[in-house]
Amino acid sequence: MRGISAEPGYVVMQPTTLCNLACGYCYLPLRRENLRMPVAVAEAVAEGVAGFARTGRFSVVWHGGEPLAAGRAHLAALFAPFAEGVEHHVQTNATLIDDEWCEFFAEHDVRVSVSVDGPRGRNGDRVDRAGRPAYDLIVRGIERLRAHGIPFSTLCVVGDPRPGVATELYDYFLTLGCEVLGINVEEQEGVNTRLNSHDPAAVSAFWAELVTAWRRNPRIHLREVEWSLRYAAAVLDGNADDLLPRRLDPIPTIAHDGSVVLLSPELAGFHDPRYGDFSSGNVLTTPLPEILAGAEDTLWIREFMAGIEACRGSCPYFGFCGGAHAANRYFEHGRFDVTETNHCRNSKIRLLEGVLDHARDHEATAV
């Protein structure tokens, strides 16, 4: 895995910066402003990705703000330029979902992912602008999805990864009706400056317990655990090098104004005296394929690639994580050529250790 691919597997689109919630761990700097993406931006992106979409599966991920805050009519106008066959995904807090939104999802074949952090007591950070709990609104939206037979994934932020939490979470999501569960240990990034340093043994035990809970009843896909198990199996089979892509996916994030931030959506909307606004161009003035072709000309990206090589040469977990994410390096250390972050400790190193601890315990019990 060296360099950045000029062909993305998907793009992230920001239809609006506005969010109707004020979650305590949110990283977005402009969530109180209603800056909506002009249709001209979507048209430019659709033209730019047309060639990629023709060669295989291609996704457009609508991610805000709260994408549904853009409204059905405007979101439909943004969808319209994209060719038939492009998959549309939306990451939503579900609070705005009603019967009309469900009809919209069905009409446009939208794949829905809902942000919810487990049972009521685990959603203390998910509040509206007045500080009121959003949990009942989230559940109401999920109930509408289920009533309309719309499958959905879930994304759960965990602020206290420790033994006891994992089983509670997994059992909750089993009853919720989701098909896929992703677990994000809270990250220090963007406007969220809360530290994300945890006891290593507790985090490893959290992941090990999550594997145990999943293996008892693997009815839903558990994103992090399944990836870890694939990696462990590949190591045992001697083909682990085949798991990571040959080149990094550029993950182009298109901000509301058409500016393009590569590799880390979390950097969009921020400015640094040294790196500028982190953008590599704007689709309203430069075709997206041209922006992608010159990806490594951007200062911060060159620095990040140096950090990737430092990880490759020093970290025994590199084959599993591939160097993790640029935004975590920046928001934790203020630059990109560093190596280990709390994010990679919590969600890469401890994850893999937890999966291996579970395997060892399972083997010992079997014997």
Side-chain angles (χ1 to χ4, degrees), residues 14-31:
Q14 186 182 52
T16 177
T17 59
L18 180 67
C19 187
N20 60 321
L21 297 188
C23 300
Y25 48 66
C26 182
Y27 63 85
L28 295 167
L30 301 173
R31 65 188 182 188

Side-chain angles (χ1 to χ4, degrees), residues 321-335:
C321 82
H325 304 296
N328 298 111
R329 297 171 188 244
Y330 175 73
F331 289 116
E332 289 190 32
H333 296 286
R335 57 184 304 115

Side-chain angles (χ1 to χ4, degrees), residues 254-277:
I254 319 300
H256 68 94
D257 61 355
S259 58
V260 180
V261 173
L262 303 179
L263 298 173
S264 283
E266 300 83 0
L267 292 169
F270 289 91
H271 188 278
D272 182 274
R274 184 174 172 217
Y275 306 114
D277 65 0

Side-chain angles (χ1 to χ4, degrees), residues 10-229:
Y10 62 102
V11 295
V12 180
M13 301 279 283
Q14 186 182 52
T16 177
T17 59
L18 180 67
C19 187
N20 60 321
L21 297 188
C23 300
Y25 48 66
C26 182
Y27 63 85
L28 295 167
L30 301 173
R31 65 188 182 188
R32 290 183 176 272
E33 299 183 40
N34 188 13
L35 304 175
R36 294 205 306 174
M37 175 179 284
V39 173
V41 171
E43 291 172 341
V45 175
E47 182 178 354
V49 304
F52 309 137
R54 282 194 295 269
T55 60
R57 181 178 178 181
F58 193 84
S59 300
V60 179
V61 180
W62 300 91
H63 197 302
E66 166 53 46
L68 305 194
R72 283 185 295 279
H74 189 61
L75 206 55
L78 295 175
F79 279 21
F82 290 93
E84 186 176 348
V86 168
E87 294 182 2
H88 291 282
H89 299 245
V90 63
Q91 184 67 45
T92 175
N93 61 38
T95 61
L96 300 177
I97 294 177
D98 56 16
D99 292 329
E100 288 75 18
W101 270 114
C102 290
E103 292 166 5
F104 177 94
F105 297 149
E107 178 185 354
H108 296 279
D109 195 22
V110 179
R111 289 154 175 81
V112 179
S113 178
V114 173
S115 299
V116 58
D117 298 337
R120 184 184 301 275
R122 296 280 170 200
N123 283 266
D125 277 314
R126 301 190 65 73
V127 297
D128 65 17
R129 293 187 186 182
R132 294 171 300 211
Y135 181 75
D136 287 339
L137 295 175
I138 296 169
V139 171
R140 186 185 68 184
I142 292 172
E143 288 172 348
R144 290 296 84 208
L145 291 172
R146 294 176 65 173
H148 284 261
I150 295 174
F152 63 96
S153 302
T154 47
L155 188 60
C156 170
V157 175
V158 179
D160 60 342
R162 55 179 171 78
V165 174
T167 299
E168 177 190 5
L169 288 176
Y170 187 74
D171 288 346
Y172 171 81
F173 284 102
L174 274 178
T175 65
L176 197 64
C178 60
E179 294 188 339
V180 181
L181 169 60
I183 298 289
N184 286 353
V185 176
E186 182 180 341
E187 301 170 41
Q188 178 189 343
E189 60 185 5
V191 298
N192 178 25
T193 58
R194 302 193 304 201
L195 296 179
N196 61 336
S197 179
H198 302 283
D199 174 61
V203 181
S204 294
F206 167 83
W207 289 115
E209 181 184 298
L210 190 62
V211 182
T212 301
W214 175 74
R215 288 195 64 187
R216 280 199 301 265
N217 192 352
R219 271 196 295 117
I220 58 179
H221 291 289
L222 192 49
R223 184 183 65 183
E224 286 75 17
V225 167
E226 292 184 24
W227 165 246
S228 303
L229 292 174

